[in-house]
Amino acid sequence: MNDPTQPTGPAAGHDDAGDGLLSVVGPWDGRVIFTAVHAGHDLRPEVRDLMILDEAARWREEDPHTERLGAGLESGMVMHRSRFEVDLNRPRDTSVYLEPDDSWGLDVWAGGRLPEEVAERSRQVHDAWYAELERRLSVMSERGPFVVFDLHSYNHRRDGPESDPAPAEDNPDVNIGTGPLDREPWDPVVEAFTRSLSAEVIPATGERLDVRENVRFWGQNESRWTHRLFPDTACVLALEFKKTFMDEWTGALDEEHLGQLAAALARTVPAVTAALEEVEVPTP
């Protein structure tokens, strides 16, 4: 039997958790952390052997470099495994893409469907991520309200490498997903974050960031899971960065642009931390 916790690929050498699945970054002693659930590209051998989806298509649907968007924050968690092995932003039961209907119509597996025994081992990766996250967020929750930047990226040139970008009115530079958030108690935090990031002018484009809430994305499993476990202390902002910092078809990265976005995100932390003081936590 293949062990889904065994390291695969170059990312395993950077793993702080000791099992090749994920990295834990920083001291986790502040009030704002990041997660990058779709940053990974690794596959364990039995999954790689069954996959027929080509490398370029897989890269395009993953969220490469999102862990680097969080590089200016002191603390976070990064998943090294590809979402095509297990999608942490879906509930456990649907976290593995078994057939094309689960993965935007893409043909992923030899034979058309992933065997159930392989899928169950992939779900153990899902278990491992959330066990580690729960352990760490429990400590944060004991100290008071906290914020998770749930970092993602999204494609905006779906019609092909030569296509025009999707219309800006429906595709903000940063989409803040707050669908699973009980919005009213956290208004000060969401508003402080939005004001801070919206004020940023990115030198690579010369334009102010277009930051809007729930335009394309609303937040998914990690956000729902966190708010369910820590309803009074957790505020998850699911942040989707439009892939303006890279060519989504070739994978070519604009290092300068990416670094500027990471710096802009880091500069929101003081405003977000100050806004947390306005959040009233119910007394047990």
Side-chain angles (χ1 to χ4, degrees):
M1 177 183 294
N2 290 299
D3 184 348
T5 67
Q6 287 306 302
T8 64
H14 304 292
D15 171 42
D16 297 330
D19 56 17
L21 298 176
L22 59 94
S23 288
V24 178
V25 179
W28 286 65
D29 57 0
R31 302 181 71 179
V32 182
I33 64 102
F34 77 91
T35 60
V37 300
H38 289 158
H41 190 64
D42 290 356
L43 299 168
R44 70 181 188 276
E46 67 172 345
V47 173
R48 187 186 306 113
D49 290 347
L50 291 168
M51 184 167 290
I52 60 173
L53 184 68
D54 68 83
E55 191 88 355
R58 184 155 68 89
W59 268 106
R60 193 158 52 249
E61 299 302 336
E62 295 164 343
D63 295 353
H65 314 298
T66 45
E67 79 285 2
R68 295 178 61 186
L69 287 170
L73 280 71
E74 290 187 352
S75 303
M77 272 176 57
V78 180
M79 171 52 65
H80 297 319
R81 298 292 177 83
S82 170
R83 69 187 304 172
F84 287 92
E85 180 170 324
V86 62
D87 190 333
L88 300 175
N89 221 21
R90 295 187 183 186
R92 186 188 196 276
D93 289 350
T94 58
S95 62
V96 178
Y97 309 150
L98 299 176
E99 53 192 21
D101 285 347
D102 300 329
S103 51
W104 316 284
L106 296 171
D107 290 319
V108 179
W109 309 114
R113 183 179 175 87
L114 187 69
E116 176 56 31
E117 63 273 16
V118 179
E120 182 56 28
R121 286 190 283 275
S122 293
R123 295 183 192 109
Q124 294 172 21
V125 176
H126 193 280
D127 296 339
W129 172 271
Y130 281 101
E132 182 69 18
L133 189 59
E134 180 176 0
R135 184 174 73 84
R136 292 180 174 276
L137 294 184
S138 293
V139 176
M140 293 186 72
S141 182
E142 290 175 0
R143 298 197 300 262
F146 63 90
V147 174
V148 177
F149 291 167
D150 173 23
L151 302 180
H152 300 267
S153 61
Y154 76 97
N155 297 320
H156 64 119
R157 292 168 55 218
R158 286 281 184 186
D159 293 335
E162 305 302 323
S163 65
D164 292 331
E169 57 265 28
D170 300 320
N171 295 269
D173 294 323
V174 183
N175 182 103
I176 309 171
T178 59
L181 179 67
D182 183 6
R183 183 68 163 75
E184 185 175 356
W186 299 97
D187 276 348
V189 173
V190 179
E191 291 172 4
F193 174 81
T194 305
R195 282 196 304 271
S196 179
L197 196 59
S198 295
E200 293 283 344
V201 176
I202 302 302
T205 64
E207 297 179 356
R208 195 179 302 275
L209 282 175
D210 175 16
V211 182
R212 285 178 280 158
E213 191 174 347
N214 299 330
V215 177
R216 285 284 310 272
F217 307 95
W218 293 263
Q220 294 298 325
N221 185 65
E222 184 179 84
S223 184
R224 290 194 299 267
W225 175 91
T226 304
H227 292 136
R228 187 169 60 248
L229 260 64
F230 308 103
D232 299 323
T233 53
C235 175
V236 180
L237 302 181
L239 306 179
E240 292 271 0
F241 284 75
K242 187 159 62 175
K243 289 182 180 176
T244 55
F245 57 87
M246 64 179 292
D247 186 317
E248 64 197 53
W249 287 92
T250 68
L253 175 65
D254 184 333
E255 291 275 359
E256 184 178 23
H257 191 173
L258 179 68
Q260 292 165 0
L261 289 171
L265 182 64
R267 285 192 289 269
T268 68
V269 172
V272 168
T273 302
L276 282 171
E277 299 300 329
E278 301 179 44
V279 177
E280 296 184 5
V281 178
T283 303

